C-alpha cells in the first residue's frame, strides 16, 4: 500500500493540538507514523525492484532509474550509504531517550555534512563545544541536536564518513537503507515515546527522514514516471500521425471512419 508518501503523517490527528494530547494519543500517533513509514519504505523497495507501476500508472524499470541519475548515481549512492552505515550501530542502543537523541544527532550531522557552505555556516553558529552522552541527558530536556565544534573543527558524534573507493550499486543501497530505516522506526514504538519531550523529538526525526530520504526518492521516481509517460505519448502521437498521413493519401473520410470504428 502506498499510503501517500508525500502526505502528512498526522492526518488522523490533524484536529488535535499537541498540547491537548495525552500519553495514549501520543503513543497512537507514533504507532501510526511507524506503520505509515514502514509501508512507504516497502513501496520504495518494491518500485526499485523494477517490476512495478509507480502509483499504479507507469512501469519503472531498474534501467529507467539508473539512466535517470546518470553520472550523479555514485554521489547519491555514497550519501545514502553513509547514512545507512551510520544508522546501523544505533540500532544496538536501548529504546528510549538516549536512542531518540542519538538518531536526532546523527541526522543533524548528516544534514550538515551534505549541506551548502551557507547552510553549514548557519549551523556552526549554534554549534556545541562538548560531546554529550545522550544517555546522561535528563529525560525532561528537549531534543535539540546541534553540531559539535572543537577548536574550530567540526566533530561528528555518530556520522561515519569512510572512503568508498568502489562503485556502489544504487538499487542495493536504497533497498538496504529502507530496511534499516524501518528498523529505526520500530524502536520508536516504546512506552517512553508517549512522553511529550520524546514525542516531539520523534516527529522532528520523521520530518528530517522524510525531507532527506523519502521525499527526495519519491520526487525522483515521479520525474522518471513523467519522462516515461512523455516518451510513450510522443511515440503514440508519431504512430497516429503516420497512420493519418497514410490513410489521407488513399482513403476518403467515410473509409477512414469505417476503419477506425470497425
Amino acid at each position: 500500500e502506498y499510503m501517500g508518501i508525500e502526505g502528512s503523517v498526522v492526518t488522523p490527528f490533524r484536529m488535535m493540538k499537541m498540547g491537548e494530547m495525552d500519553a495514549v494519543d501520543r503513543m497512537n500517533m507514533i504507532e501510526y507514523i511507524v506503520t505509515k513509514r514502514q509501508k512507504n519504505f516497502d513501496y520504495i523497495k518494491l518500485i526499485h525492484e523494477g517490476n512495478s507501476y509507480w502509483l499504479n500508472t507507469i512501469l519503472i524499470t531498474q534501467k529507467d532509474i539508473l539512466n535517470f541519475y546518470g553520472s550523479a548515481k555514485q554521489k547519491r549512492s555514497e550519501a545514502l550509504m553513509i547514512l545507512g552505515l551510520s544508522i546501523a550501530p544505533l540500532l544496538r542502543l536501548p529504546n528510549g531517550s538516549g536512542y531518540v537523541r542519538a538518531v536526532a544527532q546523527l541526522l543533524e550531522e548528516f544534514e550538515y555534512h551534505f549541506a551548502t557552505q551557507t547552510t553549514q555556516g548557519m549551523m556552526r553558529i549554534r554549534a556545541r563545544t562538548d560531546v554529550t552522552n545522550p544517555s546522561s541527558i535528563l529525560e525532561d530536556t528537549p531534543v535539540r541536536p546541534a553540531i559539535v565544534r572543537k577548536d574550530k573543527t567540526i566533530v561528528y558524534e555518530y556520522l561515519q564518513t569512510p572512503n568508498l573507493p568502489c562503485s556502489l550499486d544504487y538499487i542495493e543501497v536504497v533497498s538496504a537503507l529502507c530496511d534499516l530505516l524501518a528498523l529505526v522506526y520500530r524502536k520508536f514504538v516504546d512506552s517512553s515515546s508517549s512522553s511529550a519531550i520524546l514525542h516531539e523529538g520523534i516527529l522532528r526525526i520523521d520530518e528530517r527522514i522524510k525531507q532527506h530520504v523519502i521525499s527526495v526518492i519519491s520526487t525522483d521516481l515521479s520525474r522518471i514516471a513523467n519522462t516515461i509517460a512523455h516518451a510513450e505519448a510522443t511515440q503514440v502521437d508519431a504512430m497516429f500521425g503516420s497512420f493519418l498521413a497514410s490513410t489521407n493519401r488513399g482513403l476518403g473520410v467515410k473509409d477512414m471512419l469505417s476503419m477506425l470504428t470497425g
Side-chain angles (χ1 to χ4, degrees):
E1 186 180 353
Y2 177 63
M3 285 192 72
I5 284 180
E6 292 302 317
S8 171
V9 297
V10 296
T11 302
F13 309 91
R14 190 170 289 167
M15 301 304 294
M16 300 180 65
K17 295 181 180 180
M18 291 299 174
E20 297 175 349
M21 288 187 173
D22 58 21
V24 174
D25 294 327
R26 289 191 289 267
M27 197 66 244
N28 287 339
M29 186 174 179
I30 293 298
E31 291 176 352
Y32 172 76
I33 291 173
V34 171
T35 299
K36 178 181 176 67
R37 292 307 180 214
Q38 287 180 331
K39 291 187 176 183
N40 288 163
F41 296 136
D42 286 343
Y43 189 73
I44 289 174
K45 283 183 60 180
L46 179 66
I47 295 298
H48 280 75
E49 290 175 0
N51 301 307
S52 299
Y53 289 79
W54 175 244
L55 303 184
N56 295 322
T57 57
I58 301 294
L59 176 65
I60 297 180
T61 67
Q62 291 185 343
K63 183 179 179 180
D64 293 325
I65 295 173
L66 298 178
N67 287 342
F68 174 79
Y69 290 111
S71 60
K73 180 171 72 271
Q74 181 67 11
K75 184 176 181 180
R76 172 64 67 85
S77 299
E78 289 178 358
L80 298 180
M81 185 73 171
I82 285 174
L83 181 58
L85 289 174
S86 303
I87 279 181
L90 302 188
L91 295 173
R92 294 195 293 265
L93 296 175
N95 297 355
S97 176
Y99 171 71
V100 172
R101 294 176 195 277
V103 174
Q105 181 63 30
L106 168 59
L107 293 174
E108 179 83 1
E109 295 168 2
F110 177 80
E111 184 173 299
Y112 174 87
H113 188 74
F114 292 100
T116 63
Q117 290 186 348
T118 301
T119 301
Q120 287 183 341
M122 296 176 63
M123 295 177 74
R124 281 196 295 269
I125 292 176
R126 56 187 182 85
R128 293 183 284 113
T129 57
D130 62 314
V131 176
T132 305
N133 186 342
S135 61
S136 67
I137 300 176
L138 296 178
E139 293 195 5
D140 60 353
T141 302
V143 181
R144 295 288 186 270
I147 294 299
V148 177
R149 182 175 60 186
K150 287 188 175 183
D151 299 326
K152 298 183 179 180
T153 300
I154 298 299
V155 178
Y156 294 144
E157 297 181 67
Y158 300 104
L159 187 69
Q160 300 180 29
T161 57
N163 291 324
L164 301 171
C166 61
S167 179
L168 299 172
D169 185 326
Y170 175 76
I171 302 295
E172 291 296 328
V173 170
V174 169
S175 179
L177 180 60
C178 285
D179 287 338
L180 285 169
L181 289 175
L183 294 175
V184 168
Y185 273 83
R186 286 178 197 170
K187 287 176 67 66
F188 292 148
V189 182
D190 185 79
S191 59
S192 62
S193 300
S194 63
S195 74
I197 296 295
L198 292 191
H199 179 260
E200 180 185 1
I202 292 171
L203 293 185
R204 290 176 181 272
I205 288 172
D206 179 67
E207 281 300 316
R208 280 191 156 175
I209 291 177
K210 178 183 174 183
Q211 175 187 353
H212 295 299
V213 180
I214 298 174
S215 291
V216 172
I217 293 177
S218 62
T219 297
D220 287 347
L221 290 173
S222 292
R223 289 174 178 170
I224 294 170
N226 288 337
T227 299
I228 296 172
H230 178 74
E232 292 178 349
T234 301
Q235 186 178 17
V236 170
D237 287 344
M239 293 175 60
F240 190 68
S242 177
F243 170 75
L244 287 180
S246 64
T247 54
N248 274 330
R249 287 194 298 268
L251 299 172
V253 174
K254 289 184 178 180
D255 294 326
M256 289 174 61
L257 289 176
S258 177
M259 288 181 63
L260 291 173
T261 61

